[in-house]
Amino acid sequence: MSALPRRGIASLTVSLLCGLAATPAVAAPASASAPAQAAPTRAASASPAHAIPAAATSALPVHPATATPALATPSRPTSAAPALAAPRHASTPVLPPPPLPDDRTGDHLTLVVHGAGPGRDGVRQLFCHPEGGDHPDPVAACRVLDKNTRWGQDTFAPVPPDSICTMIDGGPATAHVTGHWAGRPVDADFSRRNGCEIARWDRLVPFLPSAGA
């Protein structure tokens, strides 16, 4: 009876030893599978999309060396000229001065007078600068014409139509002047039929004869 228990104990011991030897082979797959399960976890933690939340990036400090101030770029100097550099009265045309007497060699007038009286009627030629012709007094005639010459105005202009004139009859004398004066052609008529025409005539005496004297 005592031998059976010993054999039973021996067989039980062998069975236990066999079971312990087989246990690492079964547990090995479980331990090998542990790294495979841990790998996705590490990969997920290294993903940039989940490294720093978007809301947290606005709170990160900026290094002074990488900051670019708004006024760091210097402004370039402008090359535009100031407004006051334009010449004054640039839009006003500059008229040339009237010709000097020495340049007016073409001043030649023909005077025809009627009704002024004996010794005054007739045809007279007058040259000025220098003076000449068959006028009774060419020097005085040229002087009075120069005195009444204004640049931009007609020396022999007629009386304006809207003038108010006194109704004074200065006699039947008439005159007709043609030629060139101060670079302009001349074709003018004179009379003494009212106060305005008398004043216009007398202004050019002695080029025009003093009628009635």
Side-chain angles (χ1 to χ4, degrees), residues 18-33:
C18 291
L20 291 176
T23 300
V26 176
S31 61
S33 62

Side-chain angles (χ1 to χ4, degrees), residues 92-118:
T92 303
V94 179
L95 296 177
L100 298 175
D102 293 341
D103 300 331
R104 288 166 50 182
T105 57
D107 290 339
H108 170 220
L109 299 174
T110 300
L111 174 62
V112 181
V113 180
H114 294 287

Side-chain angles (χ1 to χ4, degrees), residues 32-65:
S33 62
Q37 293 178 357
T41 304
R42 290 194 301 268
S45 63
S47 176
H50 300 282
I52 300 176
T57 58
S58 61
L60 294 177
V62 179
H63 196 275

Side-chain angles (χ1 to χ4, degrees), residues 20-195:
L20 291 176
T23 300
V26 176
S31 61
S33 62
Q37 293 178 357
T41 304
R42 290 194 301 268
S45 63
S47 176
H50 300 282
I52 300 176
T57 58
S58 61
L60 294 177
V62 179
H63 196 275
T66 61
T68 303
L71 299 179
T73 303
S75 59
R76 294 182 299 177
T78 58
S79 60
L84 297 180
R88 298 179 59 187
H89 309 292
S91 61
T92 303
V94 179
L95 296 177
L100 298 175
D102 293 341
D103 300 331
R104 288 166 50 182
T105 57
D107 290 339
H108 170 220
L109 299 174
T110 300
L111 174 62
V112 181
V113 180
H114 294 287
R120 302 179 182 86
D121 294 347
V123 180
R124 303 287 188 267
Q125 299 291 327
L126 176 66
F127 294 88
C128 295
H129 317 109
E131 295 83 358
D134 57 359
H135 191 279
D137 192 348
V139 175
C142 292
R143 185 184 301 116
V144 74
L145 290 174
D146 285 336
K147 180 181 178 181
N148 286 275
T149 300
R150 300 289 184 274
W151 184 248
Q153 298 180 5
D154 185 2
T155 307
F156 305 92
V159 175
D162 56 349
S163 300
I164 300 176
C165 306
T166 59
M167 301 309 295
I168 300 175
D169 187 3
T174 61
H176 184 66
V177 181
T178 58
H180 287 80
W181 181 259
R184 300 181 59 177
V186 178
D187 189 355
D189 292 310
F190 291 83
S191 70
R192 299 178 64 87
R193 63 176 177 264
N194 57 45

